[in-house]
Amino acid sequence: MEQNHTKRQIKVTRNSLFEQGYLDEQFTQLEDLQDDANPNFVEEIVTSFFSDSTRLIRNVETALENYPLDFCKLDDYMHQFMGSSSSIGAKKVRNECTQFQEYCKARNDDGCIRAFQRVKQEHATLKRKLEAYFQVSL
Amino acid sequence: MNLGGGQVVNKQPMMPSSSGGSWKSSAAAAGGDSGVSDQFPAGLRVLVVDDDSTCLMILEKMLRHCKYEVTKCNRAEVALSYLRENKNGFDVVISDVHMPDMDGFKLLEHIGLEMDLPVIMMSADDSKSVVMKGVTHGACDYLIKPVRIEALRNIWQHVVRKRKHEWKDFDQSASADEQKQPEEPDYSSSANEGHNWKNTKRRKDEDDEADERDESSSLKKPRVVWSVELHQQFVAAVNQLGIDKAVPKKILELMNVPGLTRENVASHLQKYRLYLRRLSGSQHPGGMNTGFMGGPDPGFGSMSSLNGLDLQALAASGQLGQLPPQSLATLQAAALGRSTNLKSTISVPVIDQRNIFSFENPKSRYPEVQSQHLTNNNSSKQINLLPGIPTNMEPKQFVSMHQSGQHSLGNMNNLVLMQMGGQSQSQSQSQAQLNTNVHNGLRQPVMSNEMLTRGGVVDMAPTVYNPVVSVSQASSLVNFSMGHKTDSSRSSYSLRGNLGIPNLPNTSSALQGDRNLDTKVSRKGTVPSYDIFNDLNQNRDWGLPDVGLTFDQNQHTIQTGLDASNPLLLQHNRSSGRDMGGQNRNITSGKVMLSQGFETRTHHNGSNVGQHRTTYVKTENDNDGSCHSTLYSEQYGQDDLLAAVLKHQQHQQQEGVGQPENEFVFDGYALDDLPV
């Protein structure tokens, strides 16, 4: 019973992540890759993503403090960020990255800063949610 | 998975793998003792390069799931060293585009030159320009991140295709060596060597991979790796002989390297030509570098010089014919400049001229095409298809397709048209249509115009690439490898970096001006890719007077190339003497389904323009808007395309196919029409 309840809960949690747009199909791809040989594959990937992305975020923050803004570098960072977040299916994060890149292209200082704040927010939210998800599911 | 070990593991020292021995398991487990056919593509040895460790992990897992043997590394330099240490240790390389230590395209070129392995590019960036860059640099495919496992499942086709091309090349050569009995399809077998070509394709289905590997390794010739020194020797030999006289045999004699075969040289020469072509194509007229040796790499530097020589030779041989002196000069300048300019912008005028230039000489095209392939520094659109190469590929189609007459290559057109007229005639009957356009008056290549007009010409090129991208994504369509991979050295399809890499074997004849498109004499299995380009070129109005159109042409050609590739692909698939003609016909007749799964657009004469909408095409459309500017800058591609087309034609001729006419359905047009 309890197990069922937990399973259901896991499922609900997972579905909500998709429904709310935090995750997309790519995440499902990762889940499909998980097998007995690598039972924690998804969690490993997600952990790796967050450790890399946290570092990236710090780099971007530093870059945003240097004026005039180096849009090229920022765009580069975002490109990396976008690549890895899309690889794990982090939909909202990726969308915010795209926004950021748009502002970079437009060389809009304020826009970049604001967009980056949103990136950070989404990133933190996703991290929280996924951590909670793994807590119950693993 | 159990490490079955024996089967697909190659005998060579295993490549360092992040997971140590476990990575072999996937391959081994795959088929166990069944025949090759059962196992393949299991055990395919993939090297993945990406600076993002998350992506790397995901890719590795996905590839393992596909039962491939995976080695991952996060630095390009490390990847290169792996490849160099284990000459035959890998079958295919997947590399990210944006990497901190080395640009992915640079790595791509290195690999192409040194190891001649199929390389698949990957990026989160799906803009046309980047995808185009992948094509011009010779990537055999381009995957957009996030990469799905479906996209990876089919990468084996690139390996097979490459081998097949090589096989074909060898097959066509007169050398008796090549007749040896097929050996096992060794994935790792030297693509360069002619010996294994049979194995790769044929044997695959027959023998156990593992066994064959063992046997073949003893039978096969070791793959030749073109080190910098070797390449320098090669270039020196070529320069000494003069580009038009640089035949593999003579080069081989001059080089005097023990153990090197004529085939090795031939394939390398092809690549080199492509590279040169690319160099000259992308060179901004003003950007000429001083002297020929301005190339970014020592190796390439010489290439650029060769390129210049090529131009001169071509001009000298009268192939340029009507090419105005200044065009030649410009071309040369461009060629020279190219080598030094890594990111030279493509100047339209130069391209045009080049196109013209190339048009006039189908043969000359080859060298160029090849050089382009080799070009390292072509940052941008290398695709210098020979614009306006009026390969007879599908004159009809082009004609019909494009009536609107639009942008033509400009000066080239005129020249080209004239030339083409002559050439095309010999090419094929189908040319007639094209010829009419061409001859008659510098008509604008209908096709190209159409494409151009449609949506902004630019799309052509990008479109071409798109398919690849989309394909990869969908992992269902054809691999654009045909178009992408311009592997001049071997297969006709390989358009590594350039569309239509002319077969080298025919170098001498090509150079000679008298080569007609239809004389594909020495073409060894002309790469279909060339054909594509040829088609494109042909169909395109390379003769168009507008320089600006050149770009379109390329685009167009590229498209065509794609389509054209279909026939080629089809052909290739036919293991036995492919019947190009037949294949082509198929294509033209309508949707040609490439064996690779490439969805051929309906190549039909003219009408199809709108029809082809293959998946990839569609994708292109999406990018249409953005490409314009980039496309134009990618005039160079046209040259390549032309070259490719030219090659194709020649190839066609060789094959005795009368008219490739429908082969390359000029899908280019379709692109424009593609519903976005």
Side-chain angles (χ1 to χ4, degrees):
Chain A
M1 272 283 248
E2 251 181 52
Q3 251 187 356
N4 285 347
H5 176 72
T6 310
K7 279 197 189 144
R8 220 174 339 116
Q9 194 185 0
I10 295 171
K11 201 164 172 211
V12 164
T13 310
R14 180 188 171 278
N15 288 350
S16 79
L17 285 173
F18 280 89
E19 283 157 19
Q20 290 169 30
Y22 288 102
L23 296 176
D24 65 18
E25 223 270 323
Q26 188 65 16
F27 190 82
T28 314
Q29 289 249 320
L30 296 187
E31 288 176 322
D32 290 342
L33 288 174
Q34 189 160 285
D35 55 19
D36 290 341
N38 281 94
N40 300 332
F41 177 70
V42 184
E43 195 189 7
E44 282 168 18
I45 294 284
V46 168
T47 308
S48 158
F49 165 72
F50 281 112
S51 91
D52 284 348
S53 57
T54 305
R55 192 176 23 93
L56 247 185
I57 284 180
R58 275 203 300 272
N59 290 346
V60 174
E61 275 175 334
T62 309
L64 282 175
E65 283 160 16
N66 294 334
Y67 284 87
L69 291 186
D70 183 349
F71 290 109
C72 238
K73 200 195 268 183
L74 287 172
D75 190 67
D76 243 12
Y77 283 140
M78 272 307 125
H79 181 84
Q80 281 181 55
F81 208 115
M82 193 162 72
S84 51
S85 53
S86 63
S87 293
I88 70 158
K91 195 161 149 186
K92 287 196 177 188
V93 177
R94 190 191 72 226
N95 290 345
E96 296 302 338
C97 287
T98 309
Q99 273 297 308
F100 185 101
Q101 281 188 307
E102 293 295 315
Y103 284 115
C104 271
K105 279 195 210 136
R107 305 187 80 83
N108 182 338
D109 284 17
D110 279 342
C112 277
I113 294 174
R114 274 182 284 124
F116 180 62
Q117 290 307 317
R118 282 197 294 274
V119 168
K120 261 176 44 179
Q121 247 166 26
E122 289 297 341
H123 178 259
T125 306
L126 181 67
K127 185 166 185 201
R128 214 177 46 238
K129 287 190 180 273
L130 283 176
E131 274 169 3
Y133 171 66
F134 287 125
Q135 283 280 329
V136 281
S137 63
L138 292 180
Chain B
M1 307 196 234
N2 66 62
L3 294 192
Q7 303 202 330
V8 283
V9 173
N10 51 359
K11 298 137 280 156
Q12 289 146 17
M14 292 314 267
M15 301 296 304
S17 162
S18 55
S19 45
S22 61
W23 57 277
K24 289 198 215 151
S25 58
S26 50
D33 48 18
S34 47
V36 170
S37 51
D38 290 353
Q39 284 181 356
F40 185 75
L44 198 69
R45 295 158 308 163
V46 186
L47 175 66
V48 186
V49 190
D50 191 340
D51 60 314
D52 182 342
S53 54
T54 308
C55 287
L56 211 52
M57 276 166 63
I58 296 175
L59 282 169
E60 183 191 28
K61 194 81 170 75
M62 285 181 170
L63 289 164
R64 295 265 169 88
H65 266 238
C66 297
K67 306 215 181 12
Y68 295 152
E69 278 184 13
V70 187
T71 304
K72 53 179 196 193
C73 57
N74 60 3
R75 289 181 43 102
E77 294 289 356
V78 173
L80 268 180
S81 69
Y82 280 178
L83 290 166
R84 286 174 182 146
E85 283 160 25
N86 296 269
K87 307 269 155 46
N88 290 336
F90 296 101
D91 299 310
V92 62
V93 180
I94 301 181
S95 169
D96 188 37
V97 167
H98 291 89
M99 289 191 288
D101 62 331
M102 188 196 288
D103 181 41
F105 294 117
K106 191 109 194 285
L107 176 65
L108 165 59
E109 296 214 10
H110 274 297
I111 296 176
L113 268 179
E114 292 179 37
M115 293 112 205
D116 194 27
L117 282 176
V119 182
I120 297 172
M121 301 307 292
M122 235 185 352
S123 178
D125 189 352
D126 63 348
S127 57
K128 277 198 222 172
S129 57
V130 185
V131 180
M132 174 70 93
K133 217 173 154 186
V135 176
T136 54
H137 283 70
C140 65
D141 205 346
Y142 190 104
L143 309 179
I144 302 284
K145 286 185 178 174
V147 178
R148 296 171 58 88
I149 193 171
E150 292 81 27
L152 295 175
R153 265 192 223 285
N154 286 339
I155 61 174
W156 59 266
Q157 62 181 294
H158 301 291
V159 178
V160 171
R161 188 174 294 109
K162 203 165 187 8
R163 299 232 179 118
K164 212 173 177 205
H165 289 162
E166 289 164 6
W167 175 76
K168 269 196 195 154
D169 277 353
F170 283 113
D171 201 17
Q172 304 200 0
S173 72
S175 125
D177 274 347
E178 293 166 357
Q179 297 312 320
K180 39 180 179 216
Q181 74 291 340
E183 293 177 354
E184 85 197 51
D186 188 332
Y187 294 140
S188 62
S189 81
S190 43
N192 304 326
E193 303 302 322
H195 305 279
N196 304 319
W197 49 268
K198 282 198 178 134
N199 307 340
T200 39
K201 194 47 175 152
R202 287 212 232 140
R203 302 291 288 183
K204 207 161 21 162
D205 311 332
E206 299 158 26
D207 309 315
D208 183 78
E209 282 179 20
D211 292 344
E212 297 190 45
R213 278 238 190 122
D214 292 328
E215 287 172 347
S216 64
S217 59
S218 53
L219 296 170
K220 299 192 293 217
K221 272 207 224 165
R223 189 190 206 128
V224 171
V225 171
W226 285 87
S227 63
V228 177
E229 300 76 28
L230 200 59
H231 182 69
Q232 294 283 19
Q233 275 182 282
F234 167 83
V235 174
V238 173
N239 287 345
Q240 202 177 322
L241 292 168
I243 191 63
D244 52 344
K245 296 239 187 22
V247 283
K249 204 181 223 163
K250 294 214 183 118
I251 297 173
L252 188 63
E253 282 164 22
L254 270 181
M255 283 176 74
N256 194 22
V257 170
L260 196 64
T261 69
R262 197 192 69 82
E263 287 77 27
N264 299 148
V265 175
S267 67
H268 196 73
L269 182 59
Q270 252 182 352
K271 284 197 211 156
Y272 183 62
R273 288 226 174 94
L274 266 179
Y275 164 79
L276 288 181
R277 212 164 148 44
R278 201 164 358 152
L279 277 183
S280 49
S282 60
Q283 191 59 300
H284 187 85
M288 262 227 287
N289 48 17
T290 50
F292 288 79
M293 315 303 264
D297 287 17
F300 289 127
S302 44
M303 289 194 206
S304 53
S305 66
L306 188 58
N307 196 13
L309 287 178
D310 279 359
L311 291 175
Q312 278 177 335
L314 287 173
S317 52
Q319 303 186 337
L320 294 183
Q322 296 139 21
L323 191 62
Q326 47 271 49
S327 315
L328 182 57
T330 312
L331 284 173
Q332 284 189 346
L336 290 179
R338 234 164 103 139
S339 53
T340 43
N341 258 343
L342 282 190
K343 307 252 171 167
S344 56
T345 49
I346 297 187
S347 57
V348 175
V350 174
I351 298 198
D352 281 352
Q353 298 192 336
R354 284 178 44 97
N355 289 340
I356 297 178
F357 176 59
S358 33
F359 266 101
E360 334 245 87
N361 300 308
K363 309 134 307 208
S364 53
R365 273 201 240 239
Y366 299 116
E368 290 190 292
V369 171
Q370 311 211 345
S371 55
Q372 287 184 351
H373 171 64
L374 297 178
T375 279
N376 254 359
N377 49 27
N378 248 1
S379 44
S380 41
K381 355 320 199 53
Q382 274 281 350
I383 307 193
N384 273 317
L385 295 185
L386 302 172
I389 292 191
T391 41
N392 301 315
M393 302 301 250
E394 313 206 31
K396 290 197 224 152
Q397 319 227 337
F398 288 114
V399 174
S400 49
M401 297 220 334
H402 187 73
Q403 303 283 343
S404 29
Q406 336 355 47
H407 322 273
S408 44
L409 290 181
N411 16 349
M412 289 205 20
N413 296 334
N414 293 328
L415 288 179
V416 175
L417 286 176
M418 302 215 226
Q419 300 277 343
M420 295 293 301
Q423 292 175 349
S424 47
Q425 299 200 327
S426 53
Q427 304 271 344
S428 57
Q429 305 90 31
S430 56
Q431 282 286 339
Q433 297 177 1
L434 185 57
N435 290 338
T436 351
N437 293 340
V438 174
H439 299 292
N440 300 330
L442 307 183
R443 292 210 305 120
Q444 329 253 303
V446 174
M447 310 247 261
S448 53
N449 285 339
E450 191 157 311
M451 296 286 302
L452 296 178
T453 46
R454 292 283 178 111
V457 181
V458 196
D459 300 22
M460 295 293 288
T463 336
V464 171
Y465 291 110
N466 244 353
V468 178
V469 178
S470 54
V471 172
S472 359
Q473 304 219 338
S475 82
S476 53
L477 298 192
V478 167
N479 314 253
F480 186 55
S481 57
M482 282 226 341
H484 283 303
K485 204 193 217 351
T486 37
D487 183 351
S488 51
S489 60
R490 283 262 201 218
S491 46
S492 43
Y493 290 117
S494 44
L495 287 181
R496 230 196 283 194
N498 295 304
L499 302 180
I501 301 191
N503 277 330
L504 268 216
N506 300 325
T507 341
S508 46
S509 51
L511 291 180
Q512 302 223 328
D514 41 45
R515 239 243 283 189
N516 224 347
L517 281 181
D518 29 65
T519 21
K520 284 192 9 140
V521 196
S522 37
R523 238 197 227 215
K524 296 177 179 182
T526 318
V527 179
S529 57
Y530 285 47
D531 290 338
I532 303 182
F533 285 110
N534 281 340
D535 259 352
L536 290 174
N537 289 326
Q538 291 190 345
N539 296 322
R540 284 199 74 354
D541 355 305
W542 20 276
L544 295 179
D546 297 337
V547 175
L549 294 183
T550 320
F551 177 64
D552 296 333
Q553 297 212 342
N554 282 338
Q555 306 280 336
H556 198 60
T557 17
I558 297 183
Q559 293 239 340
T560 321
L562 281 182
D563 292 335
S565 58
N566 292 341
L568 292 177
L569 284 177
L570 289 177
Q571 293 196 348
H572 279 286
N573 289 322
R574 305 223 278 168
S575 41
S576 45
R578 47 169 174 184
D579 174 26
M580 280 281 257
Q583 294 279 4
N584 295 334
R585 305 286 143 67
N586 288 343
I587 302 188
T588 40
S589 54
K591 281 290 199 59
V592 178
M593 295 307 289
L594 288 180
S595 53
Q596 262 63 341
F598 187 82
E599 219 167 318
T600 51
R601 324 183 242 173
T602 35
H603 307 300
H604 285 297
N605 331 310
S607 52
N608 351 326
V609 180
Q611 321 172 2
H612 322 273
R613 285 241 139 191
T614 48
T615 320
Y616 56 81
V617 173
K618 281 207 192 147
T619 338
E620 274 300 339
N621 277 332
D622 294 335
N623 301 330
D624 283 350
S626 47
C627 304
H628 292 279
S629 45
T630 41
L631 287 180
Y632 278 101
S633 53
E634 300 185 339
Q635 301 276 348
Y636 297 114
Q638 286 185 347
D639 273 350
D640 296 334
L641 282 172
L642 285 179
V645 177
L646 203 49
K647 270 260 156 135
H648 181 70
Q649 283 193 339
Q650 301 219 347
H651 182 65
Q652 299 282 344
Q653 298 292 334
Q654 252 187 347
E655 311 270 359
V657 174
Q659 325 240 343
E661 73 254 11
N662 298 328
E663 288 184 285
F664 295 113
V665 178
F666 205 67
D667 284 336
Y669 297 111
L671 289 180
D672 285 338
D673 294 330
L674 292 180
V676 176

